[in-house]
Amino acid sequence: MPIRKPSAIASDPFKSAKWDEITSGRRFRQSDAPTIALLCQWHKIAEQAMDELDNFGGETAYSNDMGDLKAFPQIGTLKTASAEIRQLNKQLGIVDTVEAEVEASSGGNILSIVSGNRAERRARATG
């Protein structure tokens, strides 16, 4: 049985879609709902910061009244959101990495693939 989506998540199209993406094909307990909701919130914050940066025409800094070059605050927001997303993913046991995709598609993990490739090369060299 899928976990219940909180009303604050369901009422926001971005967060609702992110919830569905996160929970699809994964098993969570109902007690994980607040953590998943927080993860959805950080994804929305990251998305908004990226949109704002895109609206600056590719610029990442501005000059203040004193002529100092300052990074847009959205860059700091993105750094914070990225760190929070990584930590929440770890807390929830979500592993969305290239290594996980290779493992899932090949039936093995990276270490076993690399070891297998080395053994195969060694056998060809001695054979």
Side-chain angles (χ1 to χ4, degrees):
M1 180 169 137
I3 65 174
R4 290 180 312 278
K5 188 184 297 186
S7 59
I9 298 297
S11 65
D12 182 292
F14 180 91
K15 290 190 242 179
S16 181
K18 186 55 73 175
W19 176 283
D20 294 343
E21 178 185 333
I22 291 167
T23 59
S24 176
R26 295 186 176 103
R27 297 182 68 124
F28 293 109
R29 297 177 310 261
Q30 190 60 43
S31 61
D32 293 325
T35 307
I36 298 168
L38 188 56
L39 180 58
C40 293
Q41 181 65 46
W42 278 111
H43 274 286
K44 184 172 182 173
I45 289 168
E47 182 76 17
Q48 184 175 350
M50 287 187 290
D51 288 346
E52 290 172 9
L53 282 170
D54 288 344
N55 289 333
F56 296 140
E59 298 292 323
T60 57
Y62 66 97
S63 292
N64 65 11
D65 293 339
M66 303 198 48
D68 298 327
L69 196 59
K70 299 284 186 180
F72 285 119
Q74 289 83 350
I75 293 172
T77 301
L78 273 174
K79 288 171 68 175
T80 300
S82 177
E84 293 294 331
I85 289 167
R86 276 192 308 276
Q87 183 57 38
L88 290 165
N89 279 343
K90 185 176 178 180
Q91 185 176 338
L92 290 165
I94 297 172
V95 181
D96 289 334
T97 63
V98 173
E99 291 86 5
E101 290 176 20
V102 169
E103 182 176 331
S105 66
S106 67
N109 64 33
I110 292 297
L111 185 57
S112 67
I113 292 168
V114 170
S115 296
N117 290 345
R118 286 183 183 160
E120 187 178 302
R121 285 193 302 267
R122 201 175 310 118
R124 279 193 308 241
T126 60

